[in-house]
Amino acid sequence: TNLAGASSTTAVAMSAALFLARRASSAASSASTSARGALASHFAATAPTERAPRHLYLRQGARLMATDAPAMPPMYTSTHEILRPDTSMKPPDGSVVMTVGLTPRAFDLIGDVRHVEQTFRHFVDIRGEIPDGVPLCMLHWEGFKRTASDELYHAQWANATGDRPLTLPFAAAVVAVNQSAISDAYKTITGEESGWIYKVRARPETMETARKLRLVMSEEEYNAMCDRQEEAEDAEASRSYP
Protein backbone atom coordinates (compact mmCIF):
# COMPACT_ATOMS: atom_id res chain seq x y z
CA THR A 1 0.00 0.00 0.00
CA ASN A 2 2.76 2.43 0.87
CA LEU A 3 4.55 1.61 -2.39
CA ALA A 4 1.40 2.31 -4.41
CA GLY A 5 0.88 5.64 -2.65
CA ALA A 6 4.44 6.69 -3.30
CA SER A 7 4.14 5.84 -6.98
CA SER A 8 0.94 7.87 -7.24
CA THR A 9 2.57 10.85 -5.56
CA THR A 10 5.55 10.65 -7.89
CA ALA A 11 3.32 10.55 -10.98
CA VAL A 12 1.39 13.60 -9.82
CA ALA A 13 4.61 15.51 -9.21
CA MET A 14 5.99 14.62 -12.63
CA SER A 15 2.72 15.70 -14.28
CA ALA A 16 2.80 19.00 -12.46
CA ALA A 17 6.43 19.62 -13.43
CA LEU A 18 5.67 18.82 -17.07
CA PHE A 19 2.70 21.19 -17.05
CA LEU A 20 4.77 24.01 -15.56
CA ALA A 21 7.58 23.45 -18.10
CA ARG A 22 5.12 23.60 -21.02
CA ARG A 23 3.51 26.73 -19.60
CA ALA A 24 6.90 28.47 -19.23
CA SER A 25 7.86 27.52 -22.79
CA SER A 26 4.56 28.86 -24.12
CA ALA A 27 5.00 32.14 -22.24
CA ALA A 28 8.53 32.59 -23.56
CA SER A 29 7.36 31.93 -27.10
CA SER A 30 4.53 34.46 -26.73
CA ALA A 31 6.93 37.05 -25.32
CA SER A 32 9.34 36.52 -28.19
CA THR A 33 6.52 36.83 -30.74
CA SER A 34 5.26 40.01 -29.06
CA ALA A 35 8.75 41.48 -29.04
CA ARG A 36 9.24 40.73 -32.71
CA GLY A 37 5.85 42.24 -33.46
CA ALA A 38 6.62 45.41 -31.52
CA LEU A 39 10.00 45.74 -33.19
CA ALA A 40 8.47 45.30 -36.64
CA SER A 41 5.80 47.89 -35.82
CA HIS A 42 8.48 50.33 -34.70
CA PHE A 43 10.47 50.02 -37.92
CA ALA A 44 7.31 50.20 -40.03
CA ALA A 45 6.35 53.45 -38.31
CA THR A 46 9.78 55.03 -38.54
CA ALA A 47 10.87 53.80 -41.98
CA PRO A 48 10.72 56.42 -44.77
CA THR A 49 7.80 56.04 -47.14
CA GLU A 50 10.01 56.81 -50.17
CA ARG A 51 13.71 56.15 -50.57
CA ALA A 52 15.83 59.06 -51.77
CA PRO A 53 17.81 58.56 -54.98
CA ARG A 54 21.03 56.66 -54.38
CA HIS A 55 23.28 59.40 -55.80
CA LEU A 56 22.14 61.88 -53.16
CA TYR A 57 23.96 60.07 -50.38
CA LEU A 58 27.51 59.18 -49.42
CA ARG A 59 28.23 56.59 -46.74
CA GLN A 60 30.36 58.04 -43.98
CA GLY A 61 30.99 55.52 -41.20
CA ALA A 62 27.56 54.37 -40.12
CA ARG A 63 25.79 57.48 -41.37
CA LEU A 64 24.47 58.56 -44.75
CA MET A 65 25.24 62.17 -45.56
CA ALA A 66 23.50 64.20 -48.29
CA THR A 67 26.05 65.51 -50.80
CA ASP A 68 24.45 66.80 -54.02
CA ALA A 69 22.45 70.02 -53.84
CA PRO A 70 19.84 70.53 -56.54
CA ALA A 71 21.09 72.51 -59.50
CA MET A 72 20.06 76.17 -59.56
CA PRO A 73 18.43 77.40 -62.77
CA PRO A 74 20.44 79.74 -65.02
CA MET A 75 19.88 83.49 -65.09
CA TYR A 76 19.95 85.80 -68.10
CA THR A 77 20.79 89.43 -68.80
CA SER A 78 19.18 91.86 -71.22
CA THR A 79 22.42 91.88 -73.24
CA HIS A 80 22.19 88.11 -73.83
CA GLU A 81 24.65 86.73 -71.31
CA ILE A 82 23.77 83.49 -69.56
CA LEU A 83 24.78 82.99 -65.92
CA ARG A 84 24.92 79.39 -64.75
CA PRO A 85 25.34 79.02 -60.95
CA ASP A 86 28.16 76.70 -59.91
CA THR A 87 26.86 74.83 -56.85
CA SER A 88 30.16 72.96 -56.44
CA MET A 89 31.76 76.16 -55.13
CA LYS A 90 30.28 77.51 -51.90
CA PRO A 91 32.18 80.52 -50.49
CA PRO A 92 31.79 80.88 -46.71
CA ASP A 93 30.23 84.33 -47.06
CA GLY A 94 27.33 82.97 -49.11
CA SER A 95 28.45 84.55 -52.39
CA VAL A 96 27.07 83.17 -55.64
CA VAL A 97 29.59 81.67 -58.06
CA MET A 98 28.50 81.40 -61.69
CA THR A 99 29.89 80.95 -65.17
CA VAL A 100 29.36 83.69 -67.75
CA GLY A 101 28.70 82.84 -71.37
CA LEU A 102 26.59 83.85 -74.36
CA THR A 103 23.09 82.71 -75.21
CA PRO A 104 22.16 81.32 -78.64
CA ARG A 105 20.37 84.59 -79.30
CA ALA A 106 23.68 86.45 -78.86
CA PHE A 107 25.24 84.38 -81.63
CA ASP A 108 22.26 85.12 -83.87
CA LEU A 109 23.06 88.80 -83.46
CA ILE A 110 26.83 88.74 -83.97
CA GLY A 111 27.87 85.49 -85.60
CA ASP A 112 31.01 83.68 -84.38
CA VAL A 113 33.49 84.89 -81.77
CA ARG A 114 36.97 84.84 -83.27
CA HIS A 115 39.09 86.46 -80.57
CA VAL A 116 38.84 87.51 -76.93
CA GLU A 117 40.62 90.61 -75.67
CA GLN A 118 40.67 90.58 -71.89
CA THR A 119 40.11 93.95 -70.23
CA PHE A 120 38.74 93.27 -66.74
CA ARG A 121 42.12 93.45 -64.98
CA HIS A 122 42.26 97.19 -65.71
CA PHE A 123 39.07 97.89 -63.75
CA VAL A 124 39.32 95.83 -60.56
CA ASP A 125 38.32 97.92 -57.54
CA ILE A 126 39.60 97.71 -53.95
CA ARG A 127 37.16 94.86 -53.25
CA GLY A 128 38.62 92.86 -56.09
CA GLU A 129 35.41 93.33 -58.10
CA ILE A 130 34.67 94.69 -61.54
CA PRO A 131 31.92 97.35 -61.36
CA ASP A 132 28.65 96.74 -63.14
CA GLY A 133 28.62 97.66 -66.82
CA VAL A 134 32.41 97.53 -67.16
CA PRO A 135 33.53 95.08 -69.87
CA LEU A 136 35.12 91.88 -68.68
CA CYS A 137 36.48 91.51 -72.20
CA MET A 138 35.93 92.51 -75.81
CA LEU A 139 34.67 89.82 -78.18
CA HIS A 140 35.81 90.24 -81.77
CA TRP A 141 33.27 88.56 -84.01
CA GLU A 142 32.58 87.73 -87.65
CA GLY A 143 29.19 87.14 -89.19
CA PHE A 144 26.66 88.26 -91.77
CA LYS A 145 24.35 91.23 -91.79
CA ARG A 146 21.31 91.84 -93.95
CA THR A 147 22.04 94.96 -95.98
CA ALA A 148 19.07 95.36 -98.32
CA SER A 149 16.42 93.55 -100.33
CA ASP A 150 15.98 93.36 -104.06
CA GLU A 151 12.81 93.95 -106.06
CA LEU A 152 11.69 90.37 -105.42
CA TYR A 153 11.99 90.86 -101.68
CA HIS A 154 15.05 88.61 -101.44
CA ALA A 155 17.25 89.54 -98.52
CA GLN A 156 20.81 90.49 -99.35
CA TRP A 157 23.62 89.71 -96.93
CA ALA A 158 27.20 90.86 -96.55
CA ASN A 159 30.13 89.82 -94.41
CA ALA A 160 30.45 91.82 -91.23
CA THR A 161 32.86 92.10 -88.32
CA GLY A 162 32.72 93.95 -85.07
CA ASP A 163 33.48 94.11 -81.36
CA ARG A 164 31.08 93.24 -78.59
CA PRO A 165 31.73 93.91 -74.89
CA LEU A 166 30.95 91.18 -72.38
CA THR A 167 29.46 92.95 -69.36
CA LEU A 168 27.44 92.19 -66.26
CA PRO A 169 24.68 94.39 -64.77
CA PHE A 170 26.11 93.92 -61.27
CA ALA A 171 29.53 94.03 -59.60
CA ALA A 172 31.41 90.74 -59.48
CA ALA A 173 34.90 89.33 -59.03
CA VAL A 174 36.47 87.09 -61.65
CA VAL A 175 37.57 83.81 -60.00
CA ALA A 176 38.44 81.76 -63.11
CA VAL A 177 39.11 82.20 -66.81
CA ASN A 178 38.32 79.54 -69.38
CA GLN A 179 41.73 79.39 -71.00
CA SER A 180 40.35 77.38 -73.95
CA ALA A 181 38.00 80.26 -74.70
CA ILE A 182 40.95 82.65 -74.76
CA SER A 183 43.27 80.48 -76.86
CA ASP A 184 40.65 79.13 -79.30
CA ALA A 185 37.56 81.30 -79.12
CA TYR A 186 36.01 80.06 -82.36
CA LYS A 187 35.86 76.42 -81.23
CA THR A 188 35.21 76.98 -77.53
CA ILE A 189 32.76 79.86 -77.15
CA THR A 190 29.34 78.46 -77.95
CA GLY A 191 25.90 78.50 -76.41
CA GLU A 192 26.60 75.19 -74.66
CA GLU A 193 27.37 74.95 -70.95
CA SER A 194 31.03 74.21 -71.71
CA GLY A 195 31.33 77.41 -73.78
CA TRP A 196 31.65 79.76 -70.81
CA ILE A 197 34.29 82.50 -70.77
CA TYR A 198 34.56 83.60 -67.14
CA LYS A 199 33.59 82.32 -63.73
CA VAL A 200 32.62 85.11 -61.35
CA ARG A 201 31.62 85.53 -57.72
CA ALA A 202 28.96 88.03 -56.60
CA ARG A 203 28.02 88.95 -53.05
CA PRO A 204 24.58 87.69 -51.90
CA GLU A 205 23.24 91.22 -51.35
CA THR A 206 24.37 92.17 -54.85
CA MET A 207 22.44 89.29 -56.41
CA GLU A 208 19.39 90.04 -54.29
CA THR A 209 19.38 93.62 -55.56
CA ALA A 210 19.92 92.46 -59.15
CA ARG A 211 16.87 90.20 -58.91
CA LYS A 212 14.72 92.89 -57.32
CA LEU A 213 15.66 95.40 -60.03
CA ARG A 214 15.15 92.73 -62.72
CA LEU A 215 18.73 93.11 -63.89
CA VAL A 216 18.77 89.34 -64.24
CA MET A 217 15.90 87.28 -65.60
CA SER A 218 14.57 83.76 -65.48
CA GLU A 219 14.56 81.67 -68.64
CA GLU A 220 10.85 82.35 -69.16
CA GLU A 221 11.32 86.11 -68.84
CA TYR A 222 14.33 86.07 -71.13
CA ASN A 223 12.53 84.08 -73.85
CA ALA A 224 9.63 86.54 -73.72
CA MET A 225 12.08 89.44 -74.17
CA CYS A 226 13.72 87.71 -77.16
CA ASP A 227 10.32 87.12 -78.76
CA ARG A 228 9.53 90.82 -78.49
CA GLN A 229 12.89 91.76 -79.98
CA GLU A 230 12.50 89.38 -82.91
CA GLU A 231 9.01 90.66 -83.65
CA ALA A 232 10.36 94.21 -83.71
CA GLU A 233 13.21 93.18 -86.03
CA ASP A 234 10.80 91.45 -88.42
CA ALA A 235 8.60 94.55 -88.50
CA GLU A 236 11.60 96.75 -89.23
CA ALA A 237 12.76 94.41 -92.01
CA SER A 238 9.30 94.55 -93.59
CA ARG A 239 9.34 98.35 -93.57
CA SER A 240 12.74 98.34 -95.32
CA TYR A 241 11.44 96.48 -98.36
CA PRO A 242 11.08 98.72 -101.46
Side-chain angles (χ1 to χ4, degrees):
T1 303
N2 292 337
L3 182 61
S7 299
S8 176
T9 302
T10 301
V12 170
M14 292 178 62
S15 296
L18 181 62
F19 170 77
L20 291 175
R22 288 176 176 174
R23 181 176 179 181
S25 176
S26 176
S29 176
S30 298
S32 176
T33 301
S34 299
R36 287 196 300 270
L39 190 61
S41 299
H42 168 74
F43 282 116
T46 58
T49 57
E50 182 178 354
R51 178 172 295 179
R54 185 185 300 269
H55 72 277
L56 289 179
Y57 295 94
L58 172 67
R59 183 172 293 278
Q60 187 177 28
R63 301 179 63 191
L64 293 178
M65 305 296 292
T67 59
D68 293 344
M72 296 174 62
M75 296 171 286
Y76 300 82
T77 70
S78 61
T79 49
H80 308 291
E81 285 86 15
I82 181 170
L83 314 173
R84 294 183 174 95
D86 185 350
T87 56
S88 67
M89 299 181 66
K90 297 180 179 179
D93 62 351
S95 295
V96 180
V97 178
M98 65 205 95
T99 59
V100 182
L102 298 178
T103 68
R105 171 67 174 160
F107 292 100
D108 290 341
L109 296 173
I110 64 174
D112 300 315
V113 177
R114 293 290 183 171
H115 176 66
V116 177
E117 179 184 353
Q118 300 195 75
T119 57
F120 73 89
R121 291 184 177 90
H122 302 294
F123 304 103
V124 178
D125 62 18
I126 59 174
R127 285 183 167 181
E129 296 180 338
I130 294 88
D132 60 282
V134 172
L136 301 178
C137 65
M138 294 297 294
L139 305 176
H140 304 286
W141 56 267
E142 293 181 2
F144 296 92
K145 294 290 185 181
R146 183 161 56 185
T147 58
S149 301
D150 60 20
E151 63 277 4
L152 297 178
Y153 301 101
H154 296 152
Q156 296 180 357
W157 300 83
N159 292 330
T161 61
D163 300 328
R164 178 205 191 277
L166 183 73
T167 62
L168 293 175
F170 52 83
V174 173
V175 296
V177 179
N178 186 349
Q179 293 300 331
S180 296
I182 305 302
S183 61
D184 196 345
Y186 178 68
K187 289 184 178 179
T188 305
I189 301 176
T190 67
E192 301 298 326
E193 187 170 354
S194 60
W196 60 277
I197 306 169
Y198 292 106
K199 186 174 289 187
V200 301
R201 182 185 71 246
R203 288 174 284 123
E205 60 271 23
T206 298
M207 294 308 301
E208 182 179 359
T209 301
R211 293 187 183 97
K212 287 182 178 180
L213 298 179
R214 302 179 68 85
L215 301 177
V216 294
M217 295 173 277
S218 66
E219 183 174 6
E220 182 179 2
E221 294 169 331
Y222 176 73
N223 288 336
M225 182 195 75
C226 291
D227 288 342
R228 293 191 298 270
Q229 290 180 352
E230 292 174 0
E231 291 173 0
E233 290 169 4
D234 290 342
E236 178 62 26
S238 297
R239 287 192 295 269
S240 67
Y241 286 155

